[in-house]
Amino acid sequence: MNGRVSAALILIVLLLVFHQPVHGDAQEKDMVLVVLNNGGKIKGVVADHMESGVVIDVGYGTVSISFTDIKRIDPLSGEKKSEALRQWQEHVRAVERNRRLRSRKLEEHQARIKKNLKEKAELAERSRKEEEHGIKFEDEDNILVEVVLNGELAEKMVIDTGATTVLVPLSVVEELSDIGALPEKKVTTKLADGTEREGTPITLRSIEVEGLKVENVEAVAMEMPERRGLLGMSFLKNFHLRIDSEAKELILKEK
């Protein structure tokens, strides 16, 4: 019975608090002192009340309190209200400052991570470009390497620094799935021996040699007496190239 009476009294206090005029100014907020059965006290603004309890905004969050835990609720007025409101507003400002500080620290942390990742990627890229790739050969006058065209077709091609572009036999081009019908346009290409050959311009999606890959490589498709094409400057221009005659090795390093 006493519990029901106490809850009823608390509800009456809450109704009085909620029905006081509120003008939207923080100074007009209704401050209360919640006295708990265990002797504890909570100051704050009444945020909501329900059949089973009340919600108090304590400045840095809300606290839901059951009526069974409440001894009484005292509306604050005069100096007590002003002091309680001042403390509540300080809590609100402190929470906002901490939130902004945490947000700024998080942004700075994320920026440092992003910067570190970028620096590591740039370092890895520099290291990759500085790495030399050696390709063994038998005949220095006819350096034969294995290439992968468009990521799908492995072929043997001859290194030819005198050829202005990559030359691919028509028989090889016909086996590439994404070339399609060749255009009617013809171009003339100069070879290392000074001769000129006519062929059809194409763009290879990629050419890869010993793990070194170049994308969108200009090439020319033409009839050739052998299946072996020429790996010309449209691919080789992307690398520093030197020949170690003693080791019989072609050295490539990315530019």
Side-chain angles (χ1 to χ4, degrees), residues 31-48:
M31 304 296 299
V32 296
L33 175 66
V34 181
V35 181
L36 303 177
N37 291 326
N38 63 8
K41 296 179 181 180
I42 299 175
K43 289 181 183 179
V45 175
V46 178
D48 195 9

Side-chain angles (χ1 to χ4, degrees), residues 141-176:
D141 295 326
N142 191 34
I143 300 176
L144 196 64
V145 296
E146 184 171 291
V147 305
V148 178
L149 304 176
N150 287 2
E152 61 177 281
L153 186 61
E155 291 290 329
K156 295 286 187 179
M157 299 186 79
V158 177
I159 296 287
D160 190 345
T161 57
T164 56
T165 189
V166 173
L167 303 182
V168 188
L170 280 174
S171 59
V172 173
V173 172
E174 290 170 355
E175 294 183 23
L176 296 173

Side-chain angles (χ1 to χ4, degrees), residues 61-73:
T62 57
V63 179
S64 298
I65 310 172
S66 171
F67 284 141
T68 57
D69 297 325
I70 299 174
K71 184 175 182 180
R72 68 177 187 275
I73 296 180

Side-chain angles (χ1 to χ4, degrees), residues 19 54 59 92 148-149 156 171 173 178 187 200 228 231:
H19 284 83
V54 64
V92 171
V148 178
L149 304 176
K156 295 286 187 179
S171 59
V173 172
D178 58 353
V187 294
T200 303
R228 295 173 181 174
L231 199 58

Side-chain angles (χ1 to χ4, degrees), residues 91-244:
H91 280 306
V92 171
R93 286 192 288 269
V95 169
E96 180 61 19
R97 284 196 299 271
N98 290 336
R99 185 192 66 78
R100 290 179 181 176
L101 180 61
R102 288 194 300 270
S103 177
R104 185 168 64 251
K105 287 184 176 180
L106 178 61
E107 289 176 358
E108 292 172 351
H109 179 64
Q110 291 174 336
R112 285 195 298 271
I113 291 176
K114 186 175 180 180
K115 181 181 178 181
N116 290 339
L117 290 175
K118 182 180 179 182
E119 290 176 350
K120 288 180 180 179
E122 290 174 348
L123 179 60
E125 179 67 10
R126 285 197 299 271
S127 298
R128 184 180 64 82
K129 287 188 174 182
E130 291 172 359
E131 182 180 356
E132 291 187 339
H133 296 258
I135 303 173
K136 292 289 185 179
F137 60 80
E138 295 296 330
D139 183 0
E140 187 173 331
D141 295 326
N142 191 34
I143 300 176
L144 196 64
V145 296
E146 184 171 291
V147 305
V148 178
L149 304 176
N150 287 2
E152 61 177 281
L153 186 61
E155 291 290 329
K156 295 286 187 179
M157 299 186 79
V158 177
I159 296 287
D160 190 345
T161 57
T164 56
T165 189
V166 173
L167 303 182
V168 188
L170 280 174
S171 59
V172 173
V173 172
E174 290 170 355
E175 294 183 23
L176 296 173
S177 61
D178 58 353
I179 293 297
L182 295 178
E184 295 183 1
K185 179 183 176 181
K186 300 294 182 181
V187 294
T188 300
T189 302
K190 187 176 181 180
L191 304 184
D193 60 5
T195 61
E196 294 184 344
R197 298 282 301 277
E198 187 178 74
T200 303
I202 61 173
T203 298
L204 295 171
R205 190 173 72 250
S206 66
I207 296 179
E208 185 174 350
V209 179
E210 295 290 330
L212 296 172
K213 185 176 182 180
V214 178
E215 296 181 340
N216 300 319
V217 182
E218 293 181 359
V220 173
M222 62 175 57
E223 292 285 356
M224 302 182 75
E226 296 184 8
R227 188 176 173 87
R228 295 173 181 174
L230 300 181
L231 199 58
M233 292 308 296
S234 58
F235 174 82
L236 296 175
K237 68 181 180 181
N238 298 284
F239 305 94
H240 297 290
L241 183 150
R242 64 184 176 86
I243 294 176
D244 186 336

